[in-house]
Amino acid sequence: MVSFLGVLYLLNGDIFFSSMSAVTLVVLLYFLVDQLRKKKNQIRKNRFSYVAVVYWSLYVAISIPITFLLAHTLTVEIKAKKDIQGLAYEKMDILNDMVLSYTQQYGAYISAEYEPELKANLILISNNPNNSAAKTVLSNEPYEISSTTLNNISSTNVNSYIRKYINGKDKLFASALDSVIRRNEVFFETYGPVFDNWSRLRLSVAFNELDNLIEENYKTLYRNFEKHNHLSNAEFRFPIYNKEHKLNKPFSLWGRYNPLFMIVLALVFHALILLPYFLEPVSGMYKQHTTTTEKSSTDISGGIEL
């Protein structure tokens, strides 16, 4: 199980290949130990045994990746677990923070850039329907108000037109939020419990989905912000959090968490695996002492004199 988790973390949650790889390594390891145990007599009788060299070489070759996987798994489970969970929660907070930042940025654009010019020119037209300069401004981007509408503006309805176009612009910006918020809700429902419950089989997949979702949401909001903002250098600014979970990068984890204790635990595992070999008796190595009990019988005769 431990070696399986190590492969699973390295392969980004691929359960099929992880299970096949782990089972193959463990079966080979147990097979070699069993063969060493059965051939222990032959190995001990010969000072140089070709069989011993082959089997021990194979054991060392297989034990190296298993030790590596054990140390990686133990590092994740014992030392890095809380930090990895914390990173997941930080990245999930990014999803909500991005929505909030987008709302604030397009709201600032509407209130500082879009609304003042719209309001000023509509009021000018309401006071003077023949104001060609104001009509020219409002007939072009970002307002693009038709001449028919501009001719209908008066002092009695100007405020309703102001609200209408501001609300319309707000809806254009907010249109991208619907899909983003819906994707966030689906992710929280599907993968939120994975991090809370430390669901090992789905950790890597959940992190990959989270990173992809952050990138997808950012692109959606960036394109929509650029599309509906008439300023030449306008862009949605949000710092993308690129910190990696490192479940698939054991050397990076070991650079932060000293793996020495984990390696010692892995060596203890190998000692337990080899225990049947060490406990296997070797013929000719033990002497059995037998004792013969000789019984001597002494005849005791006695008489009674009358």
Side-chain angles (χ1 to χ4, degrees):
M1 178 63 179
V2 178
S3 58
F4 164 71
L5 289 176
V7 182
L8 186 70
Y9 294 150
L10 290 177
L11 297 182
N12 292 318
D14 191 321
I15 295 178
F16 176 76
F17 285 105
S18 298
S19 57
M20 293 296 294
S21 302
V23 168
T24 301
L25 288 173
V26 172
V27 168
L28 286 174
L29 196 67
Y30 277 98
F31 170 77
L32 289 173
V33 172
D34 186 60
Q35 292 300 308
L36 285 168
R37 181 184 63 81
K38 291 178 179 179
K39 298 182 181 297
K40 188 173 182 179
N41 280 326
Q42 179 182 347
I43 293 172
R44 293 293 295 271
K45 288 177 181 179
N46 300 321
R47 291 186 176 180
F48 178 80
S49 173
Y50 175 76
V51 174
V53 172
V54 171
Y55 280 124
W56 280 114
S57 298
L58 289 174
Y59 182 88
V60 171
I62 295 174
S63 65
I64 289 174
I66 289 181
T67 303
F68 174 84
L69 295 172
L70 289 173
H72 177 47
T73 303
L74 293 172
T75 301
V76 171
E77 296 293 329
I78 296 176
K79 291 193 172 184
K81 178 179 177 179
K82 289 184 178 179
D83 291 338
I84 292 173
Q85 282 179 314
L87 175 62
Y89 297 144
E90 288 178 19
K91 288 196 170 192
M92 286 193 289
D93 287 340
I94 287 175
L95 296 174
N96 293 325
D97 293 342
M98 189 183 298
V99 170
L100 179 61
S101 178
Y102 177 80
T103 304
Q104 292 173 342
Q105 288 185 49
Y106 85 70
Y109 161 75
I110 290 176
S111 61
E113 302 292 340
Y114 184 85
E115 181 180 346
E117 193 170 28
L118 171 71
K119 184 183 294 186
N121 284 282
L122 284 176
I123 291 174
L124 288 175
I125 294 173
S126 67
N127 294 329
N128 180 12
N130 296 320
N131 191 321
S132 59
K135 288 184 176 181
T136 300
V137 171
L138 295 178
S139 62
N140 294 319
E141 288 186 332
Y143 307 105
E144 297 181 332
I145 302 175
S146 66
S147 58
T148 303
T149 301
L150 292 175
N151 291 331
N152 291 331
I153 294 174
S154 64
S155 58
T156 58
N157 62 15
V158 64
N159 289 328
S160 63
Y161 274 105
I162 292 173
R163 288 193 299 271
K164 173 185 175 181
Y165 284 102
I166 291 175
N167 291 337
K169 196 66 172 179
D170 186 276
K171 289 180 180 179
L172 289 175
F173 276 107
S175 61
L177 288 176
D178 294 336
S179 60
V180 168
I181 292 174
R182 185 165 56 252
R183 288 196 295 260
N184 290 350
E185 290 174 347
V186 171
F187 179 86
F188 293 145
E189 182 179 354
T190 305
Y191 293 105
V194 172
F195 301 115
D196 294 334
N197 302 325
W198 193 248
S199 302
R200 296 169 178 83
L201 297 182
R202 304 176 67 195
L203 273 177
S204 297
V205 174
F207 265 113
N208 290 336
E209 290 294 328
L210 180 54
D211 289 337
N212 292 337
L213 181 58
I214 291 174
E215 183 177 0
E216 183 181 6
N217 285 355
Y218 177 76
K219 289 180 178 179
T220 299
L221 297 178
Y222 185 93
R223 287 193 296 264
N224 200 64
F225 190 87
E226 189 178 42
K227 178 180 179 181
H228 298 297
N229 192 317
H230 74 286
L231 300 178
S232 58
N233 296 325
E235 61 180 13
F236 173 53
R237 293 182 174 88
F238 187 83
I240 297 297
Y241 197 64
N242 291 323
K243 190 173 181 180
E244 298 177 317
H245 54 76
K246 301 188 187 305
L247 282 171
N248 59 344
K249 296 183 178 180
F251 294 109
S252 297
L253 282 179
W254 293 343
R256 181 174 181 181
Y257 309 100
N258 191 336
L260 181 60
F261 178 66
M262 309 305 155
I263 294 175
V264 171
L265 291 179
L267 294 177
V268 171
F269 166 81
H270 284 292
L272 294 175
I273 291 293
L274 289 170
L275 195 59
Y277 170 78
F278 293 125
L279 295 179
E280 179 71 15
V282 179
S283 61
M285 298 299 294
Y286 302 95
K287 293 182 180 180
Q288 184 175 0
H289 298 281
T290 58
T291 59
T292 304
T293 304
E294 297 180 357
K295 295 183 179 180
S296 59
S297 58
T298 304
D299 293 335
I300 302 175
S301 59
I304 300 176
E305 293 183 355
L306 297 175

